[in-house]
Amino acid sequence: MKEICVFGSLNIDMTLFVPRFNAPGETLTGTGMQIFTGGKGGNQAVACARLGAPVRMIGCLGDDANGAMYLEVLKKEGVNTSGMTVCPGITSGVAFIEVVPSGENRIALAVGANGLLTEAVARAHEDAIAECGVYMTQLENPLEAILEGMRIARSHGLQVILDPAPARPLPDEAFALCDIVTPNETELAILTGMPADTVEQAEAAARTLIARGARMVLNKRGAAGVLLVTESSATMLPGFKVNAVDTTAAGDSFNAGLAVGLAEGQSIEDAIRLANAVGALSTTKAGAQPAMPTRAQAEALIAGQR
Ligand code: RIB
């Protein structure tokens, strides 16, 4: 099996557990605070490694204590870090996350070194990207670098997954460069300017992304499952019900499960089943990476549904 290449962001997550989201100007006392390694790219890479897949991470950390700590975590998890750059004179990315008892979260970011992941960095890693089988990226780094990385991956025949988070309007080229785009309802609405609350609305919105060049749209709809839209079909694939404690990185974990399934040569339906199981399990503990499941845990959840 070829390596999965994750091109993207790494943050240190400062997670505050709060009884509810507070109002503007209000000071609210939380029930606890924890610090986790996170960032959408780093989360995807760690989740792939937990599932036992060979994975390399291309990204930027600052030359601060957080960066040094994160690099050690990646190595310990078994992620290939030869594509990581430690950038002098800048802090690592930091995310400030509030989590309420239902497991929902709110995130605000300081991008730090993630802003230094440039087109030049993508080009410098072209040979390594060319050796991989699946390429996965998100939107927490400069857009030109993201597009250049996708161009390189596509030119070498990799399967390209775009996790459009945090969502922002994108040029058509972004969709033409990817095989699969994986928005949740909110992201789909931002990408298309169309509502995506119901399955019917989401299918209509997804069709506009297909028209702009995406080969497949996977609309993540939480516990309800995934709406898979291609040029000729729309299918709802069921999710898994679990007790959610913290939904941070559920999307990242989903994408990792998808990448691992595809890298193994699974059908898209089987890869989505694995992705749904990994995404669901990732919500069952606090923090982005602590709850990311092993392959055995994901397979056990899948077996329980059959
Ligand atoms: O998707 C969850 C991630 O979003 C968090 O780990 C945080 O760092 C932000 O990037």
Side-chain angles (χ1 to χ4, degrees):
M1 175 178 163
K2 286 186 172 177
E3 268 186 335
I4 295 164
C5 179
V6 179
F7 183 93
S9 61
L10 303 103
N11 297 321
I12 296 297
D13 291 352
M14 317 280 285
T15 302
L16 182 64
F17 298 92
V18 287
R20 58 181 168 77
F21 293 123
N22 59 2
E26 180 190 11
T27 300
L28 184 65
T29 301
T31 54
M33 198 284 273
Q34 279 182 273
I35 298 174
F36 303 104
T37 44
K40 297 182 193 306
N43 290 339
Q44 291 175 353
V46 168
C48 288
R50 289 270 170 90
L51 293 170
V55 55
R56 73 165 49 232
M57 177 81 215
I58 300 177
C60 292
L61 288 164
D63 64 348
D64 52 1
N66 283 341
M69 187 263 284
Y70 206 143
L71 207 51
E72 283 313 304
V73 167
L74 291 176
K75 288 178 184 161
K76 200 167 140 251
E77 293 283 352
V79 176
N80 180 342
T81 57
S82 58
M84 288 298 304
T85 308
V86 175
C87 306
I90 191 160
T91 54
S92 300
V94 178
F96 299 90
I97 304 181
E98 291 176 330
V99 178
V100 293
S102 67
E104 282 178 298
N105 65 60
R106 275 186 185 171
I107 304 178
L109 295 176
V111 293
N114 293 306
L116 300 184
L117 189 70
T118 59
E119 294 165 85
V121 176
R123 282 187 214 116
H125 294 287
E126 175 159 5
D127 290 350
I129 293 171
E131 295 295 313
C132 296
V134 173
Y135 183 90
M136 182 159 53
T137 194
Q138 336 75 36
L139 299 177
E140 278 180 339
N141 300 97
L143 183 58
E144 266 316 312
I146 294 164
L147 292 174
E148 184 66 4
M150 291 168 75
R151 285 181 201 118
I152 292 168
R154 200 149 185 90
S155 73
H156 290 284
L158 279 74
Q159 258 185 304
V160 177
I161 301 171
L162 171 63
D163 175 12
R168 49 174 142 159
L170 292 173
D172 290 350
E173 186 191 9
F175 301 108
L177 285 170
C178 68
D179 293 286
I180 304 178
V181 57
T182 60
N184 63 21
E185 297 95 319
T186 312
E187 291 155 359
L188 184 55
I190 293 171
L191 292 174
T192 62
M194 294 168 70
D197 300 325
T198 66
V199 170
E200 292 71 26
Q201 289 172 335
E203 181 185 340
R207 294 230 163 274
T208 69
L209 300 186
I210 303 266
R212 293 170 69 190
R215 283 148 201 82
M216 249 179 231
V217 179
L218 271 57
N219 170 219
K220 307 187 294 269
R221 304 188 67 82
V226 166
L227 176 66
L228 163 63
V229 182
T230 67
E231 196 167 14
S232 56
S233 66
T235 318
M236 193 68 203
L237 297 160
F240 294 88
K241 292 216 168 21
V242 292
N243 278 336
V245 171
D246 179 356
T247 56
T248 309
D252 308 333
S253 306
F254 173 92
N255 280 281
L258 179 71
V260 171
L262 294 175
E264 289 177 354
Q266 293 184 15
S267 69
I268 186 67
E269 290 81 6
D270 286 348
I272 290 173
R273 188 179 299 118
L274 177 61
N276 273 333
V278 176
L281 287 168
S282 77
T283 68
T284 58
K285 283 188 203 157
Q289 295 177 13
M292 286 172 176
T294 62
R295 185 61 181 261
Q297 289 167 330
E299 294 297 348
L301 185 64
I302 291 169
Q305 194 194 47
R306 284 197 170 114

